[in-house]
């Protein structure tokens, strides 16, 4: 018997994962194609052509793609524009992109049900067919308009680089010249999509649509927004999670020039001022006595001790096949390892911020908006408004890594509570400093893993039992009813419960402590950030125990998983697997390691080469990545995302750790929570598997295999298995 709980984030296409979430009207509503075409033919709209909610063609010949997904550096705007422009046959130079408003009826994520949001590496995957249909529909209507204007058959008309032509008569017209007439055309019920062999943009290099604005400073991030009469809010947060203000002396704060008001809100004490610097000075001058009676007071070591104790007991079963416990008991050879993973901050370049303003009958919000439907519902409930009265303007975001998709809408709720408590009608910009983001934010959960496996006399893995202990990201959120089943949070065990290796007896168990008061959230590649490390390094350890080559062993176990095998073979081949590495300097040890992992329906294998110095310091010299993410819409962007994933993952593996002492987060800025520096970045090679499959995600899948590939390289160089992250130099000293 085999039972397996699939992670809904990994299987979003099978059902709307927000269905049934509290306070939301959910299901699988798909925006109608073409309803905007009728309105485009009336009044002022007649000057432009909007065949679907995702495209607007102006009389000025502009082609504007409306992105329902947030651009936070991952290339979403460029990818979506590429799909539309391909089917439309637009000139890439005339295409621009703007963010969609919050409106789940038109702009829902098709994999999320009737909810709008960006996450789970779903932007390209859920939009692929929708945006192709948009481009093809617009093209057909432009052709039809031209055919009628020139009194020729549609079949004689061609479209190339934004120009509609009738070759026989030599007539031609731009999109802009045909926009008004095209808007009067009936929206076709069916349109033909291009054969991929005819693609001229998809799969090719196209300059990013956000690069120029981000280079010349015209791109609008929340921090760039300055509205008339706007106030800036900076908040003093309690030092411990769950604390609250007991008493506040704001006399010194109110004496500071520019300070307008001081209000106590659930998140802490907010200072409102005319500018950010005055608000910060005002906050620094506050004298607050905190009530920690209900606050969380444990330190990291105490939390981890509890986790270790729980790991000694059976947990809830997330997956079982065969009889792993029975096969391990009495086996000739049993190998066991335990792993510790710390809390991690998202540490995006742009800390949390947003602007909220009360209007005559609703609320206006400006934000690098990642979770439109969730945030809209939260704010509407706070002000007793229907959700459609909360207007959200989506701006660029300077990174996120999951942080702006908060299940509790924390910083937006904080800003709204300040507006409410102050009674101001002015727009209020909430600004978090780096320390606020580091000390008062949300974190990748701390986890402890224990894995044991039984090997037979031939070195084959007969049984595998994996026990995980860590907080649930989903429990207590609006998504619990769908994403937590029988006590199992699917994201806690993703990458472990769907382990692809052919092991006859396998069991995965989970403990979810419910009394740990540290706020946790998805972090780039979510559960796979820790499960890929434990499973892939443990597999290498078993290869060493059975004297097998790590690549050969994996390929044997992946015989029924051709896409895993293909990326593994490609990465190994490009990295020169099996060939000797050049020797290092005296005292240096060098090694090569491999890892392969599937997440978000994409497959990534990585081979890392490292040099370990006598003092235990690790230098990652080279990372060779092989990626299968289906059809690569923008190959250059795929490479950039994987390269960025390598840097992001190495930051965590080499340095990243959020620690608590008596419930207080000890890190406050990059001095204590350091991303890797440029001199630590390895040479990265990215090889993309050519595929005719529909696109899958790439924003996250490059992260999970990095740390285990590096750890396996370290083990190859030193013979030492690292079971705690970040890597500890003391464990590698000569």
């Amino acid at each position: 018997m085999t039972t397996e709980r699939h992670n809904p984030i990994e299987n979003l296409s099978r059902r709307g994962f927000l269905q049934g979430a509290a306070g939301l009207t959910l299901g699988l509503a798909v925006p109608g194609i073409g309803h905007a075409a009728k309105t485009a033919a009336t009044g002022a709209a007649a000057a432009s052509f909007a065949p679907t909610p995702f495209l607007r063609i102006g009389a000025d010949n502009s082609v504007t793609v409306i992105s329902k997904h947030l651009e936070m550096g991952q290339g979403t705007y460029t990818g979506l524009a590429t799909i539309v422009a391909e089917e439309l046959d637009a000139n890439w130079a005339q295409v621009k992109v703007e963010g969609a408003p919050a409106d789940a009826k038109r702009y829902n994520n098709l994999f999320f049900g009737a909810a709008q949001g960006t996450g789970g590496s779903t932007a390209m995957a859920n939009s692929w067919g929708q945006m192709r249909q948009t481009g093809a529909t617009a093209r057909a209507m432009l052709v039809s308009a031209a055919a009628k204007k020139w009194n020729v058959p549609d079949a004689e008309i061609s479209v190339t680089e934004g120009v509609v032509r009738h070759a026989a008569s030599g007539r031609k017209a731009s999109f802009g010249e045909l926009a008004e007439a095209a808007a009067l055309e009936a929206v076709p019920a069916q349109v033909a999509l291009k054969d991929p062999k005819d693609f001229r943009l998809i799969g090719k290099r196209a300059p990013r649509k956000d690069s120029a604005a981000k280079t010349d400073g015209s791109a609008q991030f929340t921090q760039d927004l300055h509205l008339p009469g706007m106030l800036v809010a900076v908040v003093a947060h309690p030092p411990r999670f769950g604390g609250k203000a007991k008493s506040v002396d704001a006399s010194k704060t109110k004496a500071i020039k520019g300070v307008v008001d001081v209000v106590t809100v659930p998140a802490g004490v907010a200072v409102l001022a005319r500018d950010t610097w005055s608000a910060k000075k005002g906050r620094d001058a506050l004298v607050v006595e905190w009530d920690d009676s209900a606050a969380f007071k444990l330190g990291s070591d105490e939390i981890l001790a509890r986790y270790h104790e729980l790991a000694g007991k059976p947990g809830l079963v997330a997956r079982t096949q065969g009889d792993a416990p029975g096969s391990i008991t009495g086996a000739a050879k049993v190998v066991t390892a335990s792993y510790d993973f710390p809390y991690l901050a998202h540490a995006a370049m742009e800390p949390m911020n947003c602007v909220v303003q009360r209007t005559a009958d609703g609320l206006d919000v400006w934000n690098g908006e990642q979770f439109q439907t969730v945030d809209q519902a939260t704010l509407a409930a706070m002000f007793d408004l229907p959700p459609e009265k909360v207007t959200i303007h989506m701006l660029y975001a300077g990174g996120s890594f999951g942080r702006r998709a908060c299940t509790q809408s924390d910083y937006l709720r904080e800003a709204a509570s300040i507006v409410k408590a102050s009674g101001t009608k002015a727009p209020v910009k909430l600004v978090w400093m780096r320390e606020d983001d580091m000390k008062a934010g949300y974190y990748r959960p701390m986890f402890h893993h224990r894995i044991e496996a039984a090997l037979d006399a031939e070195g084959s893995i007969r049984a595998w039992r994996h026990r995980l202990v860590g907080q649930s990201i989903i429990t207590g959120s609006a998504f619990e009813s769908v994403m937590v089943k029988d006590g199992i949070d699917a994201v806690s065990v993703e990458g472990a419960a769907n382990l692809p290796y052919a092991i006859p007896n396998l069991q995965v168990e989970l403990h979810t402590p419910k009394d740990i008061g540290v706020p946790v959230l998805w972090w780039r590649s979510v559960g796979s950030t820790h499960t890929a490390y434990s499973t892939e390094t443990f597999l290498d350890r078993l290869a060493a125990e059975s004297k097998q080559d790590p690549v050969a062993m994996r390929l044997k176990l992946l015989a029924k998983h051709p896409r895993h095998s293909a990326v593994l073979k490609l990465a190994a081949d490009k990295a020169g697997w099996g060939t000797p590495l050049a020797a290092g300097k005296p005292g240096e040890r060098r090694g090569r390691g491999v890892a392969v992992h599937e997440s978000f329906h994409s497959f990534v294998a990585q081979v890392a080469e490292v040099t370990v110095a006598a003092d235990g310091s690790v230098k990652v010299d080279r990372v060779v990545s092989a990626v299968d993410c289906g059809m690569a819409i923008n190959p250059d962007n795929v490479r950039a995302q994987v390269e960025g994933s390598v840097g992001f993952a190495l930051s965590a593996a080499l340095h990243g750790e959020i620690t608590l002492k008596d419930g207080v987060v000890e890190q406050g800025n990059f001095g204590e929570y350091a991303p890797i520096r440029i001199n630590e970045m390895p040479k990265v090679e990215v090889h993309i598997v050519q595929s005719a499959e529909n696109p899958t995600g790439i924003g996250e899948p490059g992260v999970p295999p990095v740390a285990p590939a590096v750890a396996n390289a370290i083990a190859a160089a030193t013979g030492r298995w690292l079971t705690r992250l970040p890597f500890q130099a003391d464990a590698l000293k000569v």
Side-chain angles (χ1 to χ4, degrees):
M1 173 183 171
T2 299
T3 60
E4 182 174 349
R5 289 178 174 84
H6 292 280
N7 179 359
I9 284 183
E10 299 244 336
N11 296 278
L12 293 172
S13 57
R14 297 178 185 148
R15 56 179 174 173
F17 91 99
L18 294 178
Q19 191 170 1
L24 303 176
T25 303
L26 303 167
L28 280 172
V30 179
I33 291 288
H35 78 275
K38 294 180 181 178
T39 61
T42 63
S48 65
F49 167 41
T52 85
F54 306 102
L55 178 64
R56 184 176 67 250
I57 297 176
D60 62 355
N61 206 34
S62 61
V63 174
T64 303
V65 174
I66 314 300
S67 172
K68 64 182 181 180
H69 291 292
L70 173 64
E71 176 59 75
M72 47 190 158
Q74 82 280 39
T76 290
Y77 277 13
T78 302
L80 295 178
T82 302
I83 303 170
V84 174
E86 180 66 74
E87 293 290 350
L88 179 60
D89 277 313
N91 184 313
W92 186 244
Q94 74 185 120
V95 178
K96 57 184 179 179
V97 188
E98 67 181 43
D103 181 354
K105 290 180 181 178
R106 290 187 294 163
Y107 298 115
N108 64 311
N109 184 318
L110 299 182
F111 291 177
F112 285 11
Q116 185 179 356
T118 304
S121 295
T122 61
M124 295 304 109
N126 96 94
S127 302
W128 172 244
Q130 192 174 54
M131 301 307 266
R132 290 188 73 187
Q133 189 84 7
T134 285
T137 297
R139 185 186 189 281
M141 293 170 74
L142 288 163
V143 166
S144 182
K148 287 179 180 176
K149 182 178 180 179
W150 299 332
N151 195 27
V152 299
D154 288 15
E156 292 183 8
I157 291 182
S158 64
V159 185
T160 309
E161 292 286 342
V163 178
V164 183
R165 288 184 172 86
H166 182 245
S169 65
R171 282 173 288 192
K172 64 180 180 179
S174 70
F175 288 174
E177 290 170 329
L178 293 169
E180 186 173 352
L184 299 173
E185 290 294 312
V187 179
Q190 288 185 322
V191 289
L193 300 179
K194 281 187 179 181
D195 187 313
K197 69 179 175 56
D198 297 323
F199 285 164
R200 61 182 185 82
L201 287 173
I202 292 173
K204 311 298 191 298
R205 187 183 186 281
R208 280 182 63 136
K209 285 298 173 184
D210 54 338
S211 294
K214 289 177 177 177
T215 302
D216 66 22
S218 61
Q220 282 283 299
F221 294 82
T222 305
Q223 207 60 29
D224 298 316
L225 198 65
H226 297 280
L227 300 175
M230 187 178 75
L231 300 176
V232 177
V234 175
V235 178
H237 297 101
R240 292 183 174 86
F241 302 112
K244 58 184 180 180
K246 185 176 183 180
S247 66
V248 182
D249 180 354
S251 56
K252 293 181 180 178
T253 295
K254 291 180 177 179
I256 293 173
K257 183 180 178 180
V259 170
V260 173
D261 200 1
V262 177
V263 294
T264 300
V265 293
V269 183
V271 176
L272 285 156
R274 300 290 179 195
D275 57 82
T276 304
W277 183 240
S278 297
K280 182 187 182 302
K281 286 198 297 182
R283 182 185 67 174
D284 294 346
L286 285 172
V287 178
V288 184
E289 182 182 357
W290 299 102
D291 177 4
D292 284 340
S293 58
F296 181 72
K297 299 184 179 71
L298 293 182
S300 298
D301 291 343
E302 295 160 297
I303 298 170
L304 204 53
R306 288 191 181 188
Y307 286 11
H308 283 210
E309 184 180 354
L310 281 171
K313 306 170 186 176
L316 297 177
V317 176
R319 176 183 175 183
T320 185
Q321 64 186 43
D323 179 13
S327 299
I328 290 170
T329 302
K333 189 169 192 175
V334 176
V335 181
T336 303
S338 294
Y339 299 86
D340 292 326
F341 303 93
Y343 288 110
L344 293 172
H346 298 80
M349 190 55 65
E350 181 186 22
M352 299 304 98
N353 48 21
C354 63
V355 177
V356 176
Q357 181 179 23
R358 295 191 81 158
T359 61
D361 63 346
L363 210 65
D364 264 341
V365 179
W366 292 263
N367 182 35
E369 182 60 47
Q370 192 171 355
F371 242 15
Q372 285 89 341
T373 303
V374 174
D375 294 339
Q376 193 176 44
T378 298
L379 297 179
M382 288 181 68
F383 288 86
D384 196 24
L385 295 167
E388 61 269 18
K389 291 294 185 180
V390 178
T391 301
I392 298 180
H393 308 273
M394 180 167 60
L395 306 177
Y396 284 123
S400 169
F401 313 119
R403 181 63 182 89
R404 287 182 179 268
C406 183
T407 57
Q408 307 300 323
S409 305
D410 69 315
Y411 67 98
L412 285 153
R413 186 192 297 270
E414 182 175 299
S417 68
I418 295 167
V419 169
K420 216 173 173 184
S422 66
T424 184
K425 293 296 191 292
V428 173
K429 180 192 285 185
L430 173 69
V431 176
W432 277 26
M433 306 299 162
R434 177 63 58 194
E435 289 77 8
D436 298 311
D437 207 26
M438 204 74 78
K439 289 181 174 290
Y442 280 65
Y443 309 92
R444 195 285 304 269
M446 172 186 283
F447 259 85
H448 174 70
H449 293 213
R450 186 173 187 269
I451 310 181
E452 49 190 335
L455 297 175
D456 64 19
E458 286 74 40
S460 296
I461 306 171
R462 303 307 306 163
W464 175 292
R465 179 163 59 188
H466 190 168
R467 194 170 289 163
L468 303 90
V469 186
Q471 287 171 262
S472 168
I473 290 168
I474 303 302
T475 300
S477 76
F479 317 128
E480 181 175 356
S481 62
V482 170
M483 297 180 71
V484 179
K485 293 297 183 185
D486 302 323
I488 303 288
D489 179 342
V491 300
S492 292
V493 295
E494 63 180 341
N498 58 330
L499 194 73
Y501 298 115
I503 300 171
N505 302 289
L506 189 148
Q507 187 157 301
V508 179
E509 304 169 19
L510 176 68
H511 286 284
T512 305
K514 294 181 173 59
D515 58 348
I516 306 298
V518 181
V520 294
L521 191 61
W522 22 57
W523 186 91
R524 192 176 185 180
S525 70
V526 205
S528 289
T529 61
H530 47 93
T531 58
Y533 187 89
S534 62
T535 57
E536 287 298 292
T537 58
F538 190 67
L539 197 70
D540 250 45
R541 190 164 178 174
L542 296 180
E545 290 281 350
S546 57
K547 296 181 173 53
Q548 297 184 65
D549 175 82
V551 170
M553 183 184 196
R554 283 173 171 82
L555 289 173
K556 181 180 177 182
L557 294 170
L558 292 170
K560 295 183 179 180
H561 292 271
R563 295 180 77 178
H564 287 82
S565 298
V567 291
L568 180 58
K569 289 176 183 176
L570 181 58
D573 177 63
K574 296 297 184 180
W577 187 267
T579 62
L581 284 169
K585 298 175 183 177
E588 291 181 340
R589 295 153 290 170
R590 303 202 67 218
R592 186 186 279 129
V594 67
V596 61
H597 192 77
E598 175 194 357
S599 57
F600 309 101
H601 299 299
S602 291
F603 307 81
V604 180
Q606 288 167 336
V607 175
E609 296 173 4
V610 305
T611 300
V612 184
D615 64 358
S617 59
V618 175
K619 177 73 171 71
V620 183
D621 304 308
R622 181 187 182 212
V623 173
V624 178
S625 300
V627 180
D628 177 356
C629 56
M631 186 172 291
I633 297 168
N634 302 108
D636 205 44
N637 193 59
V638 171
R639 293 186 190 93
Q641 281 298 291
V642 175
E643 290 163 355
S645 294
V646 170
F648 185 84
L650 285 179
S651 293
L654 297 175
H655 309 301
E657 185 173 24
I658 290 292
T659 58
L660 288 83
K661 185 175 182 180
D662 300 325
V664 178
V665 172
E666 295 184 290
Q667 293 72 28
N669 210 314
F670 289 134
E672 304 92 44
Y673 189 87
I676 64 167
R677 305 305 190 204
I678 192 66
N679 65 304
E680 297 176 287
M681 188 68 187
K683 177 183 178 183
V684 180
E685 298 173 25
V686 182
H687 303 277
I688 303 170
V689 173
Q690 295 300 308
S691 175
E693 299 285 342
N694 285 348
T696 49
I698 198 56
E700 299 169 88
V703 172
V706 176
V710 172
N712 289 337
I714 291 170
T718 66
R720 301 176 192 179
W721 303 98
L722 298 176
T723 57
R724 177 191 168 195
L725 289 177
F727 301 144
Q728 307 298 307
D730 286 349
L732 300 173
K733 287 182 179 179
V734 174

